[in-house]
Amino acid sequence: MSMSRERYFVTVDMSMLRISDVKTPDNTIQYEIYATDNEVDKIKALLEQIKSEDFQQQEILQRPFQEGKADKDKEVFQNELQELYQVIYDLGTVETKRVVGELQL
């Protein structure tokens, strides 16, 4: 495993959560970062967790009278999303830090 940082692009769009070493020409927002193999693994794990939470968002709609459980699910989802953005910010380029810093999370 390499400890040197390589350039990656993180896409944070609920329909397409991913990290790639190439910028894709689609219309999604991609954050440029520099990360080690271990940091990439951490980001991949976070993306997978957020994808699984997003799946559970559908379940929230199916149990409208269980607000406590739904609120807890939403809080977990929001915390994971904030953790992902924090990692992107920490590893990001100057431009990435500027854009992420302007987000209202």
Side-chain angles (χ1 to χ4, degrees), residues 57-75:
Q57 295 286 323
Q58 305 301 324
E59 296 173 17
I60 292 171
L61 300 175
Q62 295 169 1
R63 46 174 202 248
F65 300 108
Q66 294 177 12
E67 282 94 6
K69 176 104 173 82
D71 287 347
K72 177 108 178 81
D73 289 348
K74 285 186 270 189
E75 185 179 321

Side-chain angles (χ1 to χ4, degrees), residues 10-91:
V10 182
T11 305
V12 184
D13 180 319
M14 291 323 290
S15 64
M16 196 178 334
L17 287 166
R18 68 170 181 238
I19 183 168
S20 173
D21 57 359
V22 291
K23 188 169 176 66
T24 54
D26 54 25
N27 290 329
T28 58
I29 296 172
Q30 297 172 323
Y31 299 101
E32 184 178 355
I33 65 166
Y34 285 84
T36 64
D37 291 343
N38 288 343
E39 291 162 337
V40 169
D41 289 344
K42 179 179 179 178
I43 291 169
K44 285 180 179 176
L46 272 170
L47 292 173
E48 286 304 313
Q49 186 62 36
I50 290 168
K51 283 180 194 175
S52 72
E53 294 295 337
D54 185 47
F55 172 74
Q56 292 170 8
Q57 295 286 323
Q58 305 301 324
E59 296 173 17
I60 292 171
L61 300 175
Q62 295 169 1
R63 46 174 202 248
F65 300 108
Q66 294 177 12
E67 282 94 6
K69 176 104 173 82
D71 287 347
K72 177 108 178 81
D73 289 348
K74 285 186 270 189
E75 185 179 321
V76 167
F77 178 77
Q78 188 64 30
N79 288 344
E80 288 167 349
L81 209 51
Q82 284 182 321
E83 183 180 353
L84 176 63
Y85 276 111
Q86 184 64 54
V87 172
I88 291 170
Y89 181 87
D90 291 344
L91 301 176

